[in-house]
Every structure is written in C-alpha cells, then in structure tokens.
C-alpha cells in the first residue's frame, strides 16, 4: 500500500484496470449497474475510469463516484476493529496486530488521498455513516434511483423486524391473531 513502491503500484493499477474491464463487460452483457469496488483515491485514477467508460465501445457508460468519508475517530476505531475481527485477511492474526496493520494501510492511503471534486462529475459523498450526504450532478435516472438508497444506508448492526401478514378473518386457528406476532 506504499505509494513509493513502484512495482506494487503497477500491480494495483493493473488490478484496477482488470476490475474496470470486468465491470464494463457486465454492462455490455445486459447488466443495469456495475459496482467497481476499488480505492479510487486519486484524481488520476478517477479520470482514467471516466475516460475508459466514456470511450467504451460498443457504447459509453456514465460513472458515479461514491466517496465515504469518516473523520470521527471513534467510528474509525470501531470500523478498524470490526474489519480486523472479521476479514479473512487477518485469520489467525491477533486482533491488535491486525488493527495496527489496518492503521498503517490507512495512513498510506491518506498520504495520496484526493477528495472527489465537483469538476470530476457525478458523485455522492457519505460522511460518518451517512450522518451527512452530499450529491453532485445526480440527474440521470439510474443515479436518482440509487441516491435514496445511499441516503438511507446505515452501516452497523441493527435489529431487523419481520412480520407476517394476518389472515383477513383474524382466526387464531388459521394462524391469525389480533395482535402482531414477532419472529425471532
């Protein structure tokens, strides 16, 4: 993750280009949306993505960048611990060592990180677990359908409540009840 390591940088660029090719192929084969899950932390990388998508044949595609910004130290610490505890990358690694490795990776990303700017086109920025959402040039139908989902997205464990529909007659012998049944 060191930006000064040329060989690793070339490998990361090759992996990013291959992932972009896969995303474009998915769209060419009829996919409605492709998610390029990558660290597009520099304006140069984002420009390459936009240029490739815009010039793609048989048809060009639009791009929306999703930037997740977390500057709340408590949230960052909780996220690092969660990632370290659940990622297969750290299987068998002591939790504190895994967290420290993630902190070092994060510091390397911060060295080269460039926030998405208005001039780069369509983007959505989510701040601190969606406590604030910023949208830029989100006018296309696909983007407008994704935006409400992103605005409502919450990362973290939350209870999910399920309910089943009651029969119209409310007969308990048919599984109905006058009150809502909770599922556990």
């Amino acid at each position: 993750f060191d930006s000064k390591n040329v060989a690793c940088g070339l490998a990361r660029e090759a992996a990013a280009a291959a992932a972009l090719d896969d995303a474009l192929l998915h769209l060419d084969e009829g996919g409605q949306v492709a998610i390029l899950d990558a660290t597009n932390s520099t304006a140069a990388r984002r420009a390459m993505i936009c240029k490739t998508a815009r010039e793609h044949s048989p048809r060009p595609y639009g791009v929306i960048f999703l930037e997740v910004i977390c500057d709340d130290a408590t949230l960052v610490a909780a996220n690092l611990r969660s990632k370290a505890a659940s990622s297969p990358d750290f299987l068998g690694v002591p939790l504190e060592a895994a967290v420290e490795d993630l902190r070092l990776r994060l510091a390397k990303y911060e060295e080269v990180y460039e926030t998405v700017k208005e001039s780069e086109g369509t983007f959505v920025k989510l701040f601190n677990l969606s406590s604030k959402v910023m949208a830029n040039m989100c006018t296309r139908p696909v983007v407008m359908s994704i935006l409400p989902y992103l605005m409502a997205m919450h990362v973290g464990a939350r209870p999910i409540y399920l309910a089943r529909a009651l029969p119209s007659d409310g007969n308990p012998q048919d599984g109905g009840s006058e009150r809502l049944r909770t599922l556990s």
Side-chain angles (χ1 to χ4, degrees):
F1 297 98
D2 187 349
S3 64
K4 295 174 184 77
N5 185 326
V6 176
C8 288
L10 292 172
R12 280 193 304 276
E13 291 302 318
L20 179 56
D21 288 344
D22 286 346
L24 293 171
L25 178 62
H26 169 73
L27 294 170
D28 290 344
E29 293 175 343
Q32 297 295 309
V33 174
I35 298 174
L36 181 62
D37 183 13
T39 305
N40 303 310
S41 56
T42 65
R45 169 79 65 83
R46 294 188 296 271
M48 180 275 295
I49 291 168
C50 288
K51 181 178 187 298
T52 302
R54 193 173 46 250
E55 296 174 356
H56 183 70
S57 178
R59 66 178 266 221
Y61 295 106
V63 173
I64 175 174
F65 290 106
L66 173 61
E67 183 175 12
V68 179
I69 300 168
C70 186
D71 55 11
D72 179 316
T74 303
L75 293 176
V76 170
N79 191 14
L80 293 178
R81 290 187 76 75
S82 174
K83 172 107 173 144
S86 63
S87 174
D89 290 352
F90 299 110
L91 193 62
V93 177
L95 182 62
E96 292 308 316
V99 168
E100 184 57 26
D101 181 75
L102 287 171
R103 283 188 203 288
L104 292 173
R105 290 185 196 186
L106 185 59
K108 293 295 182 187
Y109 281 118
E110 288 174 342
E111 289 175 6
V112 296
Y113 174 75
E114 299 169 332
T115 191
V116 179
K117 296 194 174 26
E118 288 184 20
S119 60
E120 293 182 73
T122 304
F123 67 77
V124 175
K125 294 184 183 190
L126 304 176
F127 296 84
N128 295 323
L129 302 180
S130 299
S131 64
K132 175 181 165 185
V133 178
M134 177 189 295
N136 184 62
M137 297 175 58
C138 294
T139 57
R140 292 176 300 200
V142 171
V143 177
M144 290 172 52
S145 67
I146 294 170
L147 189 56
Y149 167 75
L150 293 173
M151 291 174 69
M153 184 171 56
H154 296 282
V155 179
R158 288 183 169 63
I160 298 174
Y161 298 99
L162 303 174
R164 65 178 180 189
L166 302 175
S168 60
D169 65 2
N171 184 346
Q173 292 175 336
D174 294 334
S177 174
E178 294 301 322
R179 64 179 201 272
L180 183 66
R181 294 176 185 230
T182 58
L183 303 176
S184 54

Coordinates of all heavy atoms in Angstrom, one line a residue, residues 72-141:
D72 N -14.5 10.8 12.2 CA -14.9 10.6 13.6 C -14.0 9.5 14.1 O -14.1 8.3 13.7 CB -16.4 10.2 13.7 CG -16.8 10.0 15.1 OD1 -16.1 9.3 15.9 OD2 -17.9 10.5 15.5
A73 N -13.0 9.8 15.0 CA -12.0 8.9 15.5 C -12.7 7.6 16.1 O -12.2 6.5 16.0 CB -11.1 9.6 16.5
T74 N -13.8 7.8 16.8 CA -14.5 6.7 17.4 C -15.0 5.7 16.4 O -14.9 4.5 16.5 CB -15.6 7.2 18.3 OG1 -15.1 8.1 19.3 CG2 -16.3 6.0 19.1
L75 N -15.6 6.3 15.3 CA -16.1 5.4 14.3 C -15.0 4.7 13.5 O -15.1 3.5 13.2 CB -17.0 6.3 13.3 CG -18.3 6.8 13.8 CD1 -18.9 7.7 12.7 CD2 -19.2 5.7 14.2
V76 N -13.9 5.4 13.3 CA -12.8 4.8 12.6 C -12.2 3.7 13.4 O -12.0 2.6 12.9 CB -11.7 5.9 12.3 CG1 -10.4 5.2 11.8 CG2 -12.2 6.9 11.3
A77 N -12.0 3.9 14.7 CA -11.5 2.8 15.6 C -12.5 1.6 15.6 O -12.0 0.5 15.5 CB -11.3 3.3 17.0
A78 N -13.8 1.8 15.7 CA -14.7 0.7 15.7 C -14.7 0.0 14.3 O -14.8 -1.3 14.3 CB -16.1 1.2 16.0
N79 N -14.6 0.7 13.2 CA -14.5 0.1 11.9 C -13.3 -0.7 11.7 O -13.3 -1.9 11.2 CB -14.6 1.2 10.8 CG -14.9 0.6 9.5 OD1 -15.2 -0.5 9.3 ND2 -14.7 1.4 8.5
L80 N -12.2 -0.2 12.2 CA -10.9 -1.0 12.1 C -11.0 -2.3 12.9 O -10.6 -3.3 12.4 CB -9.7 -0.1 12.5 CG -9.3 1.1 11.7 CD1 -8.2 1.8 12.3 CD2 -9.0 0.7 10.2
R81 N -11.5 -2.2 14.1 CA -11.6 -3.4 14.9 C -12.6 -4.4 14.3 O -12.3 -5.6 14.3 CB -12.1 -3.0 16.3 CG -11.1 -2.3 17.1 CD -11.5 -2.1 18.6 NE -11.4 -3.3 19.4 CZ -10.2 -3.8 19.8 NH1 -9.1 -3.2 19.5 NH2 -10.2 -4.9 20.5
S82 N -13.7 -3.9 13.7 CA -14.6 -4.8 13.1 C -14.0 -5.5 11.9 O -14.2 -6.7 11.7 CB -15.9 -4.0 12.7 OG -16.8 -4.8 11.9
K83 N -13.3 -4.7 11.1 CA -12.7 -5.3 9.9 C -11.6 -6.3 10.3 O -11.5 -7.4 9.7 CB -12.1 -4.1 9.1 CG -11.2 -4.6 7.9 CD -11.9 -4.4 6.6 CE -10.9 -4.7 5.5 NZ -11.5 -5.3 4.4
A84 N -10.8 -5.9 11.3 CA -9.7 -6.8 11.7 C -10.3 -8.1 12.3 O -9.7 -9.2 12.1 CB -8.9 -6.1 12.8
A85 N -11.4 -8.1 12.9 CA -12.0 -9.3 13.6 C -12.7 -10.2 12.5 O -12.8 -11.4 12.7 CB -13.0 -8.8 14.6
S86 N -13.2 -9.6 11.4 CA -14.0 -10.4 10.5 C -13.4 -10.7 9.2 O -13.9 -11.5 8.4 CB -15.3 -9.7 10.3 OG -15.2 -8.4 9.7
S87 N -12.3 -10.0 8.8 CA -11.7 -10.2 7.5 C -10.9 -11.5 7.4 O -10.1 -11.7 8.3 CB -10.8 -9.0 7.2 OG -10.1 -9.2 6.0
P88 N -11.0 -12.2 6.3 CA -10.2 -13.4 6.1 C -8.7 -13.0 6.0 O -7.9 -13.9 6.2 CB -10.7 -14.0 4.9 CG -11.7 -13.1 4.2 CD -12.0 -12.0 5.3
D89 N -8.4 -11.8 5.7 CA -7.0 -11.3 5.6 C -6.3 -11.5 6.9 O -5.1 -11.6 6.9 CB -6.9 -9.8 5.2 CG -7.4 -9.6 3.8 OD1 -7.6 -10.5 3.0 OD2 -7.5 -8.4 3.4
F90 N -7.0 -11.5 8.0 CA -6.4 -11.5 9.3 C -6.7 -12.8 10.1 O -6.6 -12.8 11.3 CB -6.8 -10.3 10.1 CG -6.4 -9.0 9.4 CD1 -7.4 -8.2 8.9 CD2 -5.1 -8.6 9.3 CE1 -7.0 -7.0 8.2 CE2 -4.7 -7.5 8.7 CZ -5.7 -6.6 8.1
L91 N -7.1 -13.8 9.4 CA -7.4 -15.1 10.1 C -6.1 -15.6 10.8 O -5.0 -15.7 10.2 CB -7.8 -16.1 9.0 CG -8.4 -17.4 9.6 CD1 -9.7 -17.1 10.3 CD2 -8.8 -18.3 8.4
G92 N -6.2 -15.8 12.1 CA -5.1 -16.3 12.9 C -4.1 -15.2 13.3 O -3.2 -15.5 14.0
V93 N -4.5 -13.9 13.0 CA -3.6 -12.8 13.4 C -4.2 -12.2 14.7 O -5.5 -12.0 14.7 CB -3.5 -11.7 12.3 CG1 -2.8 -10.5 12.8 CG2 -3.0 -12.3 11.0
P94 N -3.4 -11.9 15.7 CA -4.0 -11.3 16.9 C -4.7 -10.0 16.6 O -4.3 -9.2 15.7 CB -2.8 -11.0 17.8 CG -1.8 -12.0 17.3 CD -2.0 -12.2 15.8
L95 N -5.8 -9.7 17.2 CA -6.7 -8.6 16.9 C -5.9 -7.3 16.9 O -6.0 -6.5 16.0 CB -7.9 -8.5 17.9 CG -8.8 -7.4 17.6 CD1 -9.5 -7.5 16.3 CD2 -9.9 -7.3 18.7
E96 N -5.1 -7.0 17.9 CA -4.4 -5.7 18.0 C -3.4 -5.6 16.8 O -3.2 -4.5 16.3 CB -3.7 -5.6 19.3 CG -4.7 -5.3 20.5 CD -5.7 -4.2 20.2 OE1 -5.3 -3.2 19.7 OE2 -6.9 -4.4 20.4
A97 N -2.7 -6.7 16.4 CA -1.8 -6.7 15.3 C -2.5 -6.4 14.0 O -2.0 -5.6 13.2 CB -1.0 -8.0 15.2
A98 N -3.7 -7.0 13.9 CA -4.5 -6.7 12.7 C -5.0 -5.3 12.6 O -4.9 -4.6 11.5 CB -5.7 -7.7 12.6
V99 N -5.4 -4.7 13.7 CA -5.8 -3.3 13.8 C -4.7 -2.4 13.4 O -4.8 -1.5 12.7 CB -6.4 -3.0 15.2 CG1 -6.6 -1.5 15.3 CG2 -7.7 -3.7 15.4
E100 N -3.5 -2.7 14.0 CA -2.3 -1.9 13.7 C -1.9 -2.0 12.2 O -1.6 -0.9 11.6 CB -1.1 -2.3 14.5 CG 0.1 -1.5 14.3 CD -0.1 0.0 14.6 OE1 -1.0 0.4 15.4 OE2 0.7 0.8 14.0
D101 N -2.1 -3.1 11.6 CA -1.8 -3.3 10.1 C -2.8 -2.4 9.4 O -2.4 -1.7 8.4 CB -2.0 -4.7 9.7 CG -1.7 -4.9 8.2 OD1 -0.5 -4.9 7.8 OD2 -2.7 -5.1 7.5
L102 N -4.1 -2.4 9.7 CA -5.1 -1.6 9.1 C -4.8 -0.1 9.3 O -4.9 0.7 8.4 CB -6.5 -1.9 9.6 CG -7.0 -3.2 9.1 CD1 -8.3 -3.6 9.8 CD2 -7.2 -3.2 7.6
R103 N -4.3 0.3 10.5 CA -3.9 1.7 10.7 C -2.8 2.1 9.8 O -2.8 3.3 9.2 CB -3.5 1.9 12.2 CG -4.6 2.0 13.1 CD -4.1 2.4 14.5 NE -5.0 2.0 15.6 CZ -6.2 2.5 15.8 NH1 -6.6 3.5 15.1 NH2 -6.9 2.1 16.8
L104 N -1.8 1.3 9.6 CA -0.7 1.6 8.7 C -1.2 1.7 7.2 O -0.8 2.6 6.5 CB 0.4 0.5 8.8 CG 1.1 0.5 10.2 CD1 2.1 -0.7 10.2 CD2 1.9 1.8 10.4
R105 N -2.1 0.8 6.8 CA -2.6 0.9 5.5 C -3.4 2.2 5.3 O -3.3 2.9 4.3 CB -3.6 -0.3 5.2 CG -3.0 -1.6 5.1 CD -4.1 -2.6 4.7 NE -3.7 -4.0 4.9 CZ -4.4 -5.0 4.6 NH1 -5.6 -4.9 4.0 NH2 -3.9 -6.2 4.8
L106 N -4.2 2.6 6.3 CA -5.0 3.8 6.2 C -4.0 5.0 6.1 O -4.3 5.9 5.3 CB -5.9 3.9 7.5 CG -6.8 5.0 7.6 CD1 -7.8 5.1 6.4 CD2 -7.6 5.0 8.9
A107 N -3.0 5.0 6.9 CA -2.0 6.1 6.8 C -1.4 6.2 5.4 O -1.2 7.3 4.9 CB -0.9 5.9 7.9
K108 N -1.1 5.1 4.8 CA -0.6 5.1 3.4 C -1.6 5.7 2.4 O -1.2 6.4 1.5 CB -0.1 3.7 3.0 CG 1.0 3.2 3.7 CD 2.3 4.0 3.5 CE 3.5 3.4 4.2 NZ 4.6 4.3 4.1
Y109 N -2.8 5.3 2.6 CA -3.9 5.9 1.7 C -4.0 7.4 1.9 O -4.2 8.1 1.0 CB -5.2 5.2 1.9 CG -5.3 3.9 1.3 CD1 -5.5 2.7 2.0 CD2 -5.3 3.7 -0.1 CE1 -5.6 1.5 1.4 CE2 -5.4 2.5 -0.8 CZ -5.6 1.4 0.0 OH -5.7 0.2 -0.6
E110 N -4.0 7.8 3.2 CA -4.1 9.2 3.5 C -3.0 10.1 2.8 O -3.2 11.2 2.5 CB -4.2 9.4 5.0 CG -5.5 9.0 5.6 CD -5.5 9.0 7.1 OE1 -4.4 9.1 7.7 OE2 -6.6 9.0 7.7
E111 N -1.8 9.5 2.6 CA -0.7 10.2 2.0 C -1.0 10.6 0.6 O -0.5 11.7 0.1 CB 0.6 9.3 2.0 CG 1.2 9.1 3.3 CD 2.4 8.1 3.3 OE1 2.7 7.7 2.1 OE2 2.9 7.8 4.3
V112 N -1.8 9.9 -0.1 CA -2.1 10.2 -1.6 C -3.6 10.5 -1.8 O -3.9 10.9 -3.0 CB -1.7 9.0 -2.5 CG1 -0.2 8.7 -2.4 CG2 -2.4 7.7 -2.1
Y113 N -4.4 10.4 -0.8 CA -5.8 10.6 -1.0 C -6.2 12.0 -1.5 O -5.6 13.0 -1.0 CB -6.5 10.4 0.4 CG -8.0 10.7 0.4 CD1 -8.9 9.9 -0.2 CD2 -8.4 11.9 1.0 CE1 -10.2 10.2 -0.2 CE2 -9.8 12.2 1.0 CZ -10.7 11.3 0.4 OH -12.0 11.6 0.4
E114 N -7.0 12.1 -2.5 CA -7.5 13.4 -3.0 C -9.0 13.2 -3.1 O -9.6 12.4 -3.7 CB -7.0 13.6 -4.5 CG -5.5 13.7 -4.5 CD -5.0 13.7 -6.0 OE1 -5.6 13.1 -6.8 OE2 -3.9 14.3 -6.2
T115 N -9.7 14.1 -2.4 CA -11.2 14.0 -2.3 C -11.8 14.3 -3.7 O -11.2 15.0 -4.5 CB -11.8 15.0 -1.3 OG1 -13.2 14.8 -1.1 CG2 -11.6 16.5 -1.7
V116 N -12.9 13.7 -4.0 CA -13.6 14.0 -5.3 C -14.0 15.4 -5.3 O -14.6 15.9 -4.4 CB -14.8 13.0 -5.5 CG1 -15.5 13.3 -6.8 CG2 -14.4 11.6 -5.3
K117 N -13.8 16.1 -6.5 CA -14.1 17.5 -6.7 C -15.3 17.6 -7.6 O -15.6 16.7 -8.4 CB -12.9 18.2 -7.2 CG -11.8 18.3 -6.2 CD -10.7 19.3 -6.6 CE -9.6 19.5 -5.6 NZ -9.3 18.5 -4.7
E118 N -16.0 18.7 -7.5 CA -17.2 18.9 -8.4 C -16.9 18.8 -9.8 O -17.7 18.3 -10.6 CB -17.8 20.3 -8.1 CG -18.5 20.4 -6.8 CD -19.2 21.7 -6.5 OE1 -19.4 22.5 -7.5 OE2 -19.5 22.0 -5.4
S119 N -15.7 19.2 -10.2 CA -15.3 19.2 -11.6 C -15.1 17.8 -12.2 O -15.1 17.6 -13.4 CB -13.9 19.9 -11.8 OG -12.9 19.3 -11.0
E120 N -15.1 16.8 -11.3 CA -14.9 15.4 -11.7 C -16.2 14.7 -12.2 O -16.2 13.6 -12.7 CB -14.3 14.5 -10.6 CG -12.8 15.0 -10.4 CD -12.2 14.1 -9.3 OE1 -11.9 13.0 -9.6 OE2 -12.0 14.6 -8.2
G121 N -17.4 15.4 -12.0 CA -18.6 14.9 -12.5 C -19.5 14.4 -11.3 O -19.6 15.0 -10.2
T122 N -20.3 13.4 -11.6 CA -21.3 12.9 -10.7 C -20.7 12.1 -9.5 O -19.9 11.2 -9.7 CB -22.3 11.9 -11.5 OG1 -22.8 12.6 -12.6 CG2 -23.4 11.5 -10.6
F123 N -21.1 12.5 -8.3 CA -20.6 11.8 -7.1 C -21.6 12.0 -6.0 O -22.4 12.9 -6.0 CB -19.2 12.3 -6.7 CG -19.2 13.7 -6.2 CD1 -19.6 14.0 -4.9 CD2 -18.6 14.7 -7.0 CE1 -19.5 15.3 -4.4 CE2 -18.5 16.0 -6.5 CZ -19.0 16.3 -5.2
V124 N -21.5 11.0 -5.1 CA -22.2 11.1 -3.8 C -21.1 10.9 -2.7 O -20.3 10.0 -2.8 CB -23.3 10.0 -3.6 CG1 -23.9 10.0 -2.3 CG2 -24.3 10.2 -4.7
K125 N -21.2 11.8 -1.7 CA -20.2 11.6 -0.6 C -21.1 11.3 0.7 O -22.1 12.0 1.0 CB -19.4 12.9 -0.3 CG -18.5 13.3 -1.4 CD -17.6 14.5 -1.1 CE -16.7 14.8 -2.2 NZ -15.7 15.9 -1.9
L126 N -20.7 10.3 1.4 CA -21.3 9.9 2.6 C -20.3 10.2 3.7 O -19.2 9.8 3.7 CB -21.7 8.4 2.6 CG -22.5 7.9 1.5 CD1 -22.7 6.4 1.6 CD2 -23.9 8.6 1.5
F127 N -20.8 11.0 4.7 CA -19.9 11.4 5.8 C -20.4 10.7 7.1 O -21.6 10.7 7.4 CB -20.1 12.9 6.1 CG -19.6 13.7 4.9 CD1 -20.4 14.0 3.9 CD2 -18.3 14.2 4.9 CE1 -19.9 14.8 2.8 CE2 -17.8 15.0 3.9 CZ -18.6 15.3 2.8
N128 N -19.4 10.1 7.8 CA -19.6 9.5 9.1 C -20.9 8.7 9.2 O -21.8 9.0 9.9 CB -19.6 10.6 10.2 CG -18.2 11.2 10.3 OD1 -17.2 10.5 10.2 ND2 -18.2 12.5 10.5
L129 N -20.9 7.6 8.5 CA -22.1 6.6 8.5 C -23.3 7.3 8.0 O -24.4 7.1 8.6 CB -22.2 6.0 9.8 CG -21.0 5.2 10.4 CD1 -21.3 4.6 11.7 CD2 -20.6 4.1 9.4
S130 N -23.3 8.1 7.0 CA -24.4 8.7 6.4 C -25.1 9.8 7.2 O -26.2 10.2 7.0 CB -25.5 7.7 5.9 OG -25.0 6.8 5.0
S131 N -24.3 10.3 8.2 CA -24.9 11.4 9.0 C -25.0 12.7 8.2 O -25.8 13.6 8.5 CB -24.0 11.7 10.2 OG -22.7 12.2 9.9
K132 N -24.3 12.7 7.1 CA -24.4 13.8 6.1 C -24.2 13.2 4.7 O -23.3 12.4 4.5 CB -23.3 14.9 6.4 CG -23.3 16.0 5.4 CD -22.2 17.0 5.8 CE -21.8 17.9 4.6 NZ -20.7 18.8 5.0
V133 N -25.0 13.7 3.8 CA -24.8 13.2 2.4 C -24.7 14.4 1.5 O -25.5 15.3 1.6 CB -26.1 12.3 2.0 CG1 -26.0 11.8 0.5 CG2 -26.2 11.1 2.9
M134 N -23.7 14.3 0.6 CA -23.6 15.4 -0.4 C -23.7 14.7 -1.8 O -23.0 13.7 -2.1 CB -22.2 16.0 -0.3 CG -21.9 17.1 -1.3 SD -20.2 17.7 -1.3 CE -20.1 18.4 0.3
A135 N -24.5 15.3 -2.7 CA -24.7 14.8 -4.0 C -24.3 15.9 -5.0 O -24.7 17.1 -4.8 CB -26.1 14.4 -4.2
N136 N -23.6 15.5 -6.1 CA -23.2 16.4 -7.1 C -23.6 15.9 -8.5 O -23.3 14.7 -8.8 CB -21.7 16.6 -7.1 CG -21.2 17.6 -8.1 OD1 -21.6 18.8 -8.0 ND2 -20.4 17.2 -9.0
M137 N -24.4 16.7 -9.3 CA -24.8 16.3 -10.6 C -25.5 15.0 -10.7 O -25.3 14.2 -11.6 CB -23.6 16.4 -11.6 CG -22.9 17.7 -11.7 SD -21.4 17.8 -12.7 CE -22.0 17.2 -14.2
C138 N -26.4 14.7 -9.8 CA -27.1 13.4 -9.7 C -28.4 13.6 -10.4 O -29.5 13.7 -9.8 CB -27.3 13.0 -8.3 SG -25.7 12.5 -7.5
T139 N -28.4 13.6 -11.8 CA -29.6 13.9 -12.5 C -30.1 12.8 -13.4 O -31.2 12.8 -13.8 CB -29.4 15.2 -13.4 OG1 -28.3 14.9 -14.3 CG2 -29.1 16.4 -12.6
R140 N -29.2 11.8 -13.7 CA -29.6 10.7 -14.5 C -30.5 9.8 -13.8 O -30.4 9.6 -12.6 CB -28.4 10.0 -15.0 CG -27.5 10.8 -16.0 CD -26.3 10.1 -16.4 NE -25.5 9.9 -15.1 CZ -24.3 9.6 -15.1 NH1 -23.6 9.5 -16.1 NH2 -23.7 9.4 -13.9
P141 N -31.4 9.1 -14.5 CA -32.4 8.2 -13.8 C -31.8 7.1 -12.9 O -32.3 6.9 -11.8 CB -33.2 7.6 -15.0 CG -33.1 8.6 -16.1 CD -31.7 9.2 -15.9

